[in-house]
Amino acid sequence: MLTYVAIGAPCGMIMGQTGMEPWMVFALSSTFVTGSGQFMICNLWLAGVPAPSIIASVAAISSRFALYSASIAPHLAGASKRQTLAVAATLTEEAYGISLAKLVEGEDWGPRESFVLNVILIATWGASCTMGAIVGAVVDVPTAIASFVCTSLFICLLFSQRLSRGNVVAAVSGAVSVAVCKFLGLTNIAVPASVVVGIAIALACDAVLDGRGARHAR
């Protein structure tokens, strides 16, 4: 909850700078489960990026929630469809990590506890973003500083990942593809294109090198 306050407040400041009222900020933050997507929407909107490109970019980075739900589903096999839907519809990244760990460890944890945790975190996020929007209307915080909060979060997540060949290839390929798109003037598709290119090249590289390794082993 405390980390949500630290990240949600700057996000609310940026949302306020797009012209959203505090009640709008709370409504969006309480129904849109990806905080990184909210940062992306606001930054791309302020940069004048067309709506179709914003939708494609947010959809690309939000597709990971399908994997989250798929990985937690086997542990909720005994729950009703209503309970499963409630957990999936309110799932956030932090709640997913906590719930999955407890379910795997076999603790006294089920769909009810997962749903309550999801709701608490979403409420905290919504309140934090709203607080940021209110403060941002009084205190002038540069957009670049507030925006870097989300960037710094992903940098921390990047360095916390296992240093593998696929991760390195994906990161480098994504960065290069963004630079190429911007150089060619394709700013509108730079983000979604970099996601697709980075993942595709990393998977292809792993497939080729793993295939060579298997042939050498034989």
Side-chain angles (χ1 to χ4, degrees):
M1 291 171 65
L2 292 177
T3 60
Y4 271 29
V5 174
I7 302 173
C11 183
M13 293 178 184
I14 300 175
M15 296 173 73
Q17 292 180 12
T18 64
M20 298 181 66
E21 298 292 335
W23 70 268
M24 298 178 182
V25 173
F26 182 78
L28 177 60
S29 302
S30 301
T31 54
F32 199 75
V33 295
T34 165
S36 57
Q38 288 182 218
F39 271 101
M40 179 173 286
I41 290 173
C42 297
N43 288 324
L44 294 180
W45 182 266
L46 291 173
V49 177
S53 181
I54 296 177
I55 294 173
S57 300
V58 176
I61 67 168
S62 300
S63 60
R64 65 190 186 278
F65 281 90
L67 299 177
Y68 295 160
S69 298
S71 64
I72 203 172
H75 302 284
L76 299 176
S80 65
K81 290 185 177 180
R82 180 179 298 179
Q83 291 175 321
T84 304
L85 178 61
V87 173
T90 58
L91 194 64
T92 63
E93 288 173 308
E94 290 75 13
Y96 161 76
I98 295 173
S99 293
L100 183 62
K102 290 185 175 294
L103 290 169
V104 170
E105 293 170 1
E107 296 189 21
D108 186 16
W109 191 270
R112 179 178 300 177
E113 289 78 10
S114 298
F115 176 72
V116 171
L117 174 64
N118 294 351
V119 172
I120 290 174
L121 292 183
I122 290 177
T124 304
W125 174 258
S128 301
C129 290
T130 305
M131 178 185 66
I134 295 174
V135 173
V138 180
V139 181
D140 186 17
V141 179
T143 305
I145 295 177
S147 299
F148 188 73
V149 171
C150 187
T151 305
S152 62
L153 172 63
F154 277 97
I155 292 175
C156 292
L157 292 175
L158 176 64
F159 281 99
S160 66
Q161 297 298 307
R162 182 172 60 89
L163 186 61
S164 65
R165 179 183 60 208
N167 286 344
V168 173
V169 171
V172 174
S173 302
V176 171
S177 63
V178 168
V180 171
C181 287
K182 289 185 176 293
F183 178 77
L184 297 176
L186 304 176
T187 305
N188 294 343
I189 64 171
V191 175
S194 67
V195 173
V196 175
V197 170
I199 294 175
I201 293 179
L203 291 175
C205 180
D206 282 344
V208 171
L209 295 179
D210 290 343
R212 290 179 180 176
R215 287 195 296 270
H216 288 316
R218 289 197 297 268

